[in-house]
Amino acid sequence: MTEQRVALVTGGNKGIGLQIAKELATRGLTVVVGSRELAKGEEAIKSIGSNAHAIQLDVTNQASIDAAAARIRSDWGRLDVLMNNAGISHAGRPGRSFENLRDVNSLVTAPLEDVRAVFETNVFGVIAVTQAMLPLLREAPAGRIVLTASSGGSMTLNSDPANPHRAMFGNYSVSKAAAHAVMLAFLPGSGNNRTAFPLAAAQAGVEEFWVPGSKRPAIVQLLGATLDHRRSHFTKLILAIVRQAMTYRRGKGNPLTRAEVDRLNSLLPGVQFKIPELLDSAFLDSFAPSKPESATATEKTTTLSAERAQALASRLIEISQLDPQQRGLRFEGFLGELFEGFGLAPRRDFRLVGEQIDGSFKLHGQTYLVEAKWHGPQIGFADLMTFSGKVAGKASWARGLFVSNSGFTADDLEAFARGRQTNLICADGLDLYEVLSRRASLIEVLEAKARRAAETNRAYVPVRDLSLGIH
């Protein structure tokens, strides 16, 4: 077995794949270039270097895939990086005009054979190759699966009607969106049953609720299913998770903190639980004090870092793949992280007598109560009035932010603005897109919406109409 790390690049004989192969080679990896036609792969490796090798690999042919996996194991004995790069934009029949290619890209007019051909390479090919290479990747010290993605497959970007590429969202883009979801499904977190959460589930007697898949959705599934179907085991599960976390985090040099346990204790009443063991003063005093926050930790920031914006956008994609009940809870958590990212001191959901508040945050000394709706019909007059009543029943300085991913009906917004003073501002999914794309600051958006509400009594004005200099 070679001591060098080994990378497989599918479709590595030309274009982006060839450049990726060259970059990996310069970093000292042995690069295996997968090419549907072996001769083209052998020609390509001449421009890469002596540590590049060509193999025949057709991602739409299972026999070819299995032979490639066997060749990698026999010749190099390891695989550290799988680069799923092979892809096609259309079925590729010669002699087609631009107009014809446009028609076969549109799902309205595309023949199903063309759709299937694109999906066979861009989606099923990714699944087939990844499945075949997983045994090798799992044996590697730090195996990696990478996908050549595309903004053309971004649901967030292409949900914006103002996106000039929206009209081109067709066969290729849908296949890339599906490929993004495939990569999410291959994320670790559930395959290894010796990690903290599945071990805790087994200890609590709810191991059947730990479902393979991406880690965050798997945790949501575990907690939600336990609450719904084995509620008597929920306390035992939480205690097992805490114990596992204490052991794991201590070994990583990042021990669990008192502040994190306090936060957990503040959230548990939201699902009608208090766990005496976690509230025990001796247990709480056993934790080292949390490091004091720096002076800038709570300062408001006018924009998100690219990394944090991308992470939050990925969270939204994860939420869209959950069942409806879980989406609402996860959407509330997403908003809390968004508010935290802008230093708005968010508080998660809490219950008062006879009502539920989805959270709160502070902006310029004003406390905003939050109502969050992920999915369903656009919000109408009744929901606006209900939340307005909740806000009106609190202190006179309280305000409300109603976030509906699906938006609000124009007629009901107009009715809500008549005959009463609004104590709300509203935001929809497109507003969130402007913030996550870093084209607008959440703080500036909230300030502008509050000012427009004060001037016009209108609770909802789209970000694009707020004169924030977005381009």
Side-chain angles (χ1 to χ4, degrees):
M1 182 176 74
T2 179
E3 294 300 315
Q4 280 187 315
R5 289 181 298 159
V6 176
L8 168 64
V9 182
T10 67
N13 59 288
K14 62 181 180 179
I16 294 174
L18 178 57
Q19 188 58 41
I20 291 171
K22 291 178 179 178
E23 291 292 329
L24 290 171
T26 63
R27 286 164 169 74
L29 279 77
T30 295
V31 180
V32 181
V33 172
S35 176
R36 189 164 45 186
E37 297 180 35
L38 180 58
K40 291 183 178 180
E42 291 174 337
E43 182 64 28
I45 64 174
K46 295 176 183 178
S47 65
I48 299 174
S50 59
N51 56 341
H53 308 269
I55 62 171
Q56 194 279 329
L57 175 56
D58 180 350
V59 302
T60 67
N61 184 298
Q62 190 62 52
S64 173
I65 295 169
D66 292 341
R71 168 83 184 279
I72 292 170
R73 181 175 291 281
S74 64
D75 286 13
W76 298 284
R78 64 186 292 173
L79 181 63
D80 300 83
V81 179
L82 168 60
M83 183 69 229
N84 283 302
N85 169 75
I88 59 174
S89 60
H90 56 85
R93 296 183 182 86
R96 288 183 166 183
S97 66
F98 174 80
E99 289 75 15
N100 185 245
L101 290 175
R102 180 191 60 199
D103 290 341
V104 298
N105 181 59
S106 170
L107 289 186
V108 177
T109 54
L112 278 180
E113 61 179 322
D114 287 71
V115 177
R116 289 192 177 101
V118 171
F119 268 68
E120 195 66 46
T121 296
N122 296 0
V123 182
F124 301 122
V126 171
I127 297 172
V129 172
T130 303
Q131 288 179 342
M133 302 300 165
L134 271 177
L136 281 161
L137 290 164
R138 285 174 173 154
E139 294 168 12
R144 294 288 185 268
I145 303 172
V146 188
L147 172 72
T148 300
S150 170
S151 61
S154 168
M155 300 297 288
T156 301
L157 295 176
N158 287 289
S159 295
D160 180 6
N163 184 351
H165 300 289
R166 172 69 182 84
M168 296 296 293
F169 192 81
N171 189 9
Y172 171 74
S173 297
V174 172
S175 75
K176 295 306 287 188
H180 297 171
V182 165
M183 283 293 94
L184 185 66
F186 276 111
L187 284 175
S190 56
N192 182 359
N193 285 327
R194 296 186 62 81
T195 57
F197 284 96
L199 283 175
Q203 292 168 2
V206 292
E207 60 269 28
E208 68 269 31
F209 297 146
W210 181 254
V211 178
S214 180
K215 188 173 183 179
R216 284 183 183 274
I219 295 170
V220 172
Q221 162 66 22
L222 172 64
L223 297 175
T226 303
L227 281 170
D228 291 341
H229 305 294
R230 204 79 57 80
R231 194 173 181 87
S232 61
H233 288 60
F234 187 73
T235 293
K236 189 175 181 180
L237 173 63
I238 294 297
L239 288 173
I241 290 172
V242 171
R243 286 194 293 267
Q244 288 290 336
M246 290 172 68
T247 301
Y248 175 80
R249 295 268 298 272
R250 190 183 303 118
K252 292 289 185 179
N254 179 31
L256 199 65
T257 67
R258 166 71 180 266
E260 289 171 310
V261 178
D262 287 341
R263 185 181 182 188
L264 174 61
N265 282 327
S266 72
L267 293 173
L268 286 171
V271 288
Q272 290 82 50
F273 273 88
K274 287 187 177 180
I275 300 180
E277 292 90 336
L278 299 182
L279 295 166
D280 180 74
S281 58
F283 170 73
L284 294 173
D285 290 343
S286 68
F287 291 92
S290 301
K291 294 180 180 179
E293 293 186 354
S294 66
T296 59
T298 57
E299 288 180 3
K300 296 174 178 54
T301 179
T302 57
T303 188
L304 293 173
S305 67
E307 293 78 12
R308 190 155 196 175
Q310 182 59 49
L312 287 169
S314 298
R315 289 286 305 282
L316 273 183
I317 294 173
E318 288 182 8
I319 292 169
S320 70
Q321 298 170 346
L322 301 175
D323 63 56
Q325 181 180 1
Q326 293 176 334
R327 287 176 195 159
L329 294 173
R330 296 300 298 141
F331 190 46
E332 294 170 18
F334 160 81
L335 290 175
E337 292 189 30
L338 180 63
F339 298 148
E340 188 175 84
F342 283 91
L344 297 179
R347 179 183 176 187
R348 298 298 176 94
D349 62 308
F350 55 94
R351 292 182 182 272
L352 302 173
V353 177
E355 68 180 17
Q356 166 85 22
I357 304 296
D358 292 338
S360 67
F361 65 90
K362 293 183 70 176
L363 176 64
H364 304 322
Q366 294 280 352
T367 297
Y368 284 78
L369 305 182
V370 176
E371 181 80 0
K373 299 288 186 184
W374 166 258
H375 198 57
Q378 290 184 316
I379 297 301
F381 182 78
D383 287 324
L384 289 166
M385 286 298 296
T386 298
F387 184 48
S388 179
K390 289 182 180 181
V391 176
K394 308 301 180 294
S396 59
W397 54 84
R399 296 180 176 181
L401 172 65
F402 201 136
V403 185
S404 167
N405 190 61
S406 301
F408 307 84
T409 62
D411 290 344
D412 288 319
L413 283 170
E414 187 67 30
F416 183 70
R418 292 197 301 265
R420 65 188 58 78
Q421 292 180 332
T422 184
N423 54 1
L424 310 179
I425 56 175
C426 300
D428 64 9
L430 290 177
D431 292 339
L432 295 177
Y433 162 72
E434 299 289 0
V435 173
L436 292 180
S437 64
R438 305 176 76 217
R439 296 169 66 192
S441 160
L442 178 63
I443 292 175
E444 293 174 352
V445 167
L446 296 175
E447 290 172 341
K449 282 178 176 284
R451 180 170 182 173
R452 189 66 65 89
E455 293 170 345
T456 66
N457 204 46
R458 294 186 180 279
Y460 173 71
V461 178
V463 169
R464 57 187 174 274
D465 294 340
L466 289 175
S467 302
L468 293 176
I470 296 173
H471 57 278

